[in-house]
Amino acid sequence: MGEITISGSIQKVDELANSLQVCLDSGAKKVLIPCTSFVDFATVPAELMSAFQLIPYQSAEDAVFKALGVE
């Protein structure tokens, strides 16, 4: 989730709660979330947050490594 620009900057997820609900409805178990979106966690219901393994990332490279399971 989130957006990575051509210059490499990370943008937070718009409407985090709605986006996570779509992920839940689609059957997702793990969700990659940019660290910049952590400030919006207060707007997400606890039941929705606990439905996933949330994986934070800080850069495009970090997101790719975590998505592939490479440490």
Side-chain angles (χ1 to χ4, degrees), residues 22-59:
V22 170
C23 291
L24 181 64
D25 294 343
S26 299
K29 303 291 182 201
K30 296 179 182 179
V31 179
L32 286 164
I33 296 186
C35 291
T36 55
S37 291
F38 279 37
V39 295
D40 295 332
F41 278 171
T43 64
V44 180
E47 308 84 42
L48 191 55
M49 296 262 310
S50 64
F52 304 104
Q53 177 185 355
L54 300 174
I55 304 169
Y57 66 89
Q58 295 180 349
S59 67

